[in-house]
Amino acid sequence: MDWLEAAFLGGIQGLTEFFPVSSSGHLVMAKEFLGQVEEGIVFEIAVHVGTMLAILAYYRERVLELITGTLQRDPVVLAHVGKLALATAPAVLVGLTVKDAVESMFDHAWIVGVALIVTGALLLTTRRTVGAATLDVPGWAHALVIGIAQVFAITPGISRSGTTVAVALMLGIRAPAATEFSFLMGVIAIAGAAVLALPDAAAAPVDSLVAYAIGGVVAAVSGFLAIRWFVALLRSQKFHLFAAYCFVAGAGFLAYLALTRS
């Protein structure tokens, strides 16, 4: 992978991480088109770290508030941080116990096509739920359910942001709170995945690490812009319109695989 391809894939990651269309699925599709299927989980983690930095930059005031409140032992802040940790726990548990199985899914491109169609079906539900949600803060049970939903988003093609926000809306959590909770819990999940990938990254060739770094930087910049667009779009209650894109992308990719591998 040269630096141009790394930058291209990093841009895809940044733009698709925060739109409910599955960034990991788009990376698999892009690498299928480019003939780049060998980079594996380390590059995935590198560009996800880039988008994690985008989240921290966009929600910097909220993150600072949570850090300050935690140090001051503010009970409200401690409860919210605890909910974020609880919501992250299921994905961490799965990542630790079935890491090899998770990585192997990235080697089966057809999974992405099917998963995108599933994501589209999930997004359709938000047409009904986004206007009915009234809660400003998720409860403990809400956090656990959202965290379980995030586990399914480990599958490439299942959108993490789409799944967690859609489930939060189903639980009655208002769109702004659902979006913030989804993105902040993503920070913990991405950081944990990055730690798990450190041994693989240490064994990677130096030339590959340069490409990973370029992809991560591009993902951070494009991701920050994508968050701004996402939040603005969510306010207009048009979240469900992404379902049509997921249906077309998923079906189209399956058709492409059938034609090229027959």
Side-chain angles (χ1 to χ4, degrees), residues 20-29 106 109 111-120 152-160 163 246 250:
V21 296
S22 178
S23 59
S24 60
H26 277 73
L27 284 173
V28 171
M29 290 192 293
F106 288 86
I111 292 177
V112 172
V114 174
L116 279 171
I117 294 172
V118 173
T119 294
F152 293 96
I154 292 175
T155 304
I158 300 293
S159 167
R160 196 199 68 82
T163 300
C246 290

